[in-house]
Amino acid sequence: MESVVQSRIPPEQSEILGVESQHGTAADAFTKAFLKNSLPQVKDEDIEEIMMRKAVVLEYKRPMKKKGKTRKAKGLNAKERRRLKIFQLKPEHQKYELFLPLHELWKQYIVDLCNGLKPGSNPQMIQQKLLKADFHGAVLTVVRSKCPSYVGLTGILVQELKHVFKIITKEDKLKVIPKRNSVFGVEIGDFVTHIYGSKFELRSSERSAKKFKVKGTIDL
């Protein structure tokens, strides 16, 4: 076994490894220096005794990695979003027919949400569900408003912001309608309901988590 350990490394392996085989006095000096460096707290005579009696595991100490500060991804603020026009619908996308598939999806979504919208459904329960529903894709009609020019406008809701609805009309016009002081009609098959814009002055994500109180009458 000792002869195998002390044998020379074959030339082809020596070339691959990039090391040169040591022997004789040079090998002995290298071994002693290596052990002394690996076991700095052990005396020379103790090293000799250890090597004669048992195997020594020489551990490789990995260099410590420098811990850098991890930067969290920072989202865009409101000013940056406005500058980049993230929420603006491009003119070439302001086409009524482009949003018809979204309308069909919304109709199925709202029917499932209200458990089928059967004739015997509880109107109060449906109203509570609609207050928390997502209306992107719904066909909205302004039935009442303090601004007469808005009354009668109909279109598919393409964007809901905190204070306004943006709809696309059949004439491919983008209309921005304030929620406050407006009442909107929504048709879902044979079911017709009215929603008061003042109750919707929240972002859709906030509205879904809000608890609404039932009131007898609501003023514009």
Side-chain angles (χ1 to χ4, degrees), residues 3-200:
S3 60
V4 174
V5 173
Q6 294 181 356
S7 62
R8 286 174 171 273
I9 300 174
E12 60 274 11
Q13 292 185 11
S14 179
E15 186 176 348
I16 294 171
L17 295 172
V19 296
E20 191 173 337
S21 184
Q22 302 284 347
H23 65 282
T25 308
D28 187 49
F30 171 80
T31 304
K32 287 181 179 180
F34 181 77
L35 290 171
K36 186 67 177 174
N37 185 56
S38 301
L39 305 168
Q41 298 178 349
V42 184
K43 296 180 180 179
D44 292 346
E45 53 269 22
D46 294 333
I47 291 176
E48 290 287 345
E49 186 177 352
I50 290 171
M51 293 300 294
M52 292 294 294
R53 297 183 181 276
K54 62 180 180 180
V56 178
V57 178
L58 302 175
E59 296 182 355
Y60 170 70
K61 188 176 181 181
R62 295 180 179 275
M64 295 291 290
K65 291 183 178 179
K66 293 182 179 179
K67 292 183 179 180
K69 292 183 179 179
T70 55
R71 295 183 179 179
K72 293 183 180 179
K74 186 180 178 182
L76 299 174
N77 58 35
K79 185 177 180 180
E80 290 171 334
R81 289 196 294 268
R82 285 195 296 270
R83 180 171 55 82
L84 295 171
K85 300 180 179 179
I86 289 175
F87 297 121
Q88 290 190 17
L89 196 63
K90 294 180 180 180
E92 59 267 26
H93 297 154
Q94 296 176 16
K95 305 291 183 184
Y96 186 84
E97 62 178 12
L98 290 179
F99 295 94
L100 286 174
L102 177 63
H103 175 57
E104 293 300 320
L105 287 173
W106 182 82
K107 286 196 296 185
Q108 186 58 51
Y109 152 74
I110 212 70
V111 168
D112 293 342
L113 180 68
C114 298
N115 300 319
L117 285 176
K118 300 172 184 177
S121 298
N122 184 343
Q124 214 169 49
M125 180 271 293
I126 292 173
Q127 192 72 17
Q128 284 296 314
K129 286 184 177 291
L130 290 175
L131 282 170
K132 297 186 177 186
D134 188 332
F135 278 82
H136 289 92
V139 174
L140 301 183
T141 302
V142 183
V143 293
R144 289 171 59 193
S145 177
K146 284 193 174 181
C147 181
S149 62
Y150 290 131
V151 177
L153 286 176
T154 301
I156 296 174
L157 177 63
V158 295
Q159 192 175 19
E160 179 184 357
L161 301 179
K162 187 173 182 178
H163 299 292
V164 299
F165 284 134
K166 292 185 179 182
I167 64 172
I168 289 287
T169 67
K170 289 183 178 180
E171 294 77 27
D172 298 332
K173 300 291 185 182
L174 180 67
K175 298 292 184 180
V176 181
I177 304 171
K179 295 178 181 179
R180 184 173 294 183
N181 301 329
S182 296
V183 180
F184 302 87
V186 185
E187 290 188 21
I188 313 161
D190 297 329
F191 185 84
V192 180
T193 187
H194 292 88
I195 57 176
Y196 288 79
S198 58
K199 298 280 277 185
F200 276 64

Side-chain angles (χ1 to χ4, degrees), residues 202-218:
L202 295 163
R203 295 179 180 87
S204 56
S205 57
E206 296 171 350
R207 193 175 70 245
S208 64
K210 182 178 174 61
K211 290 184 179 179
F212 293 94
K213 294 180 180 179
V214 179
K215 296 182 180 180
T217 59
I218 301 175

